[in-house]
Amino acid sequence: MIIYGVYIVSKSGGLIFNLDNNVPRIEHEKTFTYPLDLVLDYDPKKVSVSFNRKDGINVGHVLVAVNGMPVNGATLEDGRDVKTTLESPDNFPINLKFSRPKMTTNEKIFLASMFYPLFAIASQLSPEPKSSGIELLEADTFTLHCFQTLTGVKFIVISETGLNGMDLLLRKVYELYSDYVLKNPFYSLEMPIRCELFDNKLQELLLQVEKTGINNIDK
């Protein structure tokens, strides 16, 4: 049982907590000949694929190593420029390793703000009044589970596909939030959650779920 992450979105749509629990680092390694048949975007912070795909390497994947040498931003560990290295025919054949990009905090905040109106649209599309909105979104590689409290706070868990009983886990996360965040006299509603005790208890819960299953979290 794999839980990839936990997110909490405030009633106004802002991301107030996120935990990356078990995000897989999918890597693809391939030896290329000159000229390189992938179009790369050389941003100072990262080198990523902007066009074309090959052997599992897709648009958006980030370059993490050249001939086994780690890439830091747009430079190699030894200080050489990645673009200059890849544009020189003398360096080929060359081994490149790509991985799926890790989301930044800003990207997570943006996605949380996008989920808020989608949740509202789903509620309005319901043929029955007082719809609970989005509770489950399934994709081929993950499942999104959502629980909204009476005050409008949304608890989101990203897991592997095919898991049952996730509503029990969501409510358990809500209990931890109520016990360790809302009862914290230094916490202000709608503000980012910075509570070490809540972090520790949540990680303990997720570890227990992955080891023993959802049905044993109260035991």
Side-chain angles (χ1 to χ4, degrees):
M1 174 175 293
I2 300 176
I3 306 298
Y4 295 128
V6 177
Y7 302 85
I8 302 178
V9 180
S10 69
K11 63 180 180 180
S12 60
L15 181 68
I16 57 176
F17 178 83
N18 73 92
L19 172 67
D20 292 326
N21 181 59
N22 194 353
V23 178
R25 184 180 176 86
I26 302 174
E27 295 185 343
H28 300 277
E29 188 172 359
K30 181 175 175 59
T31 299
F32 292 85
T33 57
Y34 187 85
L36 191 66
D37 49 2
L38 293 173
V39 179
L40 302 180
D41 177 37
Y42 297 93
D43 186 90
K45 295 182 179 179
K46 63 182 178 180
V47 178
S48 58
V49 179
S50 61
F51 182 75
N52 210 353
R53 61 176 62 185
K54 192 175 184 70
D55 297 335
I57 303 171
N58 298 318
V59 173
H61 281 191
V62 176
L63 181 65
V64 296
V66 176
N67 289 333
M69 182 174 293
V71 174
N72 299 315
T75 60
L76 295 170
E77 194 173 54
D78 61 2
R80 287 181 295 160
D81 182 70
V82 172
K83 184 176 182 180
T84 303
T85 302
L86 298 183
E87 288 181 346
S88 174
D90 297 335
N91 294 322
F92 286 78
I94 195 168
N95 181 271
L96 304 180
K97 181 184 289 187
F98 294 84
S99 74
R100 188 179 67 177
K102 184 177 180 180
M103 282 196 299
T104 65
T105 300
N106 287 337
E107 289 172 336
K108 292 176 183 177
I109 293 173
F110 174 76
L111 291 176
S113 66
M114 292 295 292
F115 183 77
Y116 179 77
L118 288 176
F119 189 95
I121 291 172
S123 299
Q124 295 176 8
L125 288 175
S126 172
E128 297 292 334
K130 298 182 180 180
S131 169
S132 61
I134 297 174
E135 294 184 350
L136 183 71
L137 282 176
E138 290 188 281
D140 57 342
T141 57
F142 73 94
T143 303
L144 180 150
H145 312 264
C146 180
F147 166 66
Q148 178 176 247
T149 68
L150 295 176
T151 57
V153 179
K154 298 172 183 62
F155 293 82
I156 300 170
V157 170
I158 308 296
S159 73
E160 65 177 332
T161 58
L163 298 184
N164 297 318
M166 293 300 292
D167 54 335
L168 180 61
L169 174 60
L170 285 165
R171 282 164 174 76
K172 191 65 178 180
V173 175
Y174 176 50
E175 287 180 16
L176 295 179
Y177 168 80
S178 301
D179 289 340
Y180 299 103
V181 177
L182 293 183
K183 293 180 182 178
N184 184 344
F186 301 104
Y187 177 69
S188 300
L189 293 176
E190 299 286 308
M191 296 301 292
I193 298 172
R194 295 184 177 89
C195 178
E196 184 177 353
L197 190 56
F198 173 69
D199 293 349
N200 294 338
K201 291 295 183 180
L202 179 58
Q203 290 175 353
E204 289 176 7
L205 172 65
L206 297 181
L207 183 62
Q208 182 183 358
V209 167
E210 291 182 342
K211 285 184 176 181
T212 64
I214 296 176
N215 295 329
N216 297 315
I217 59 178
D218 288 322
K219 297 179 180 179

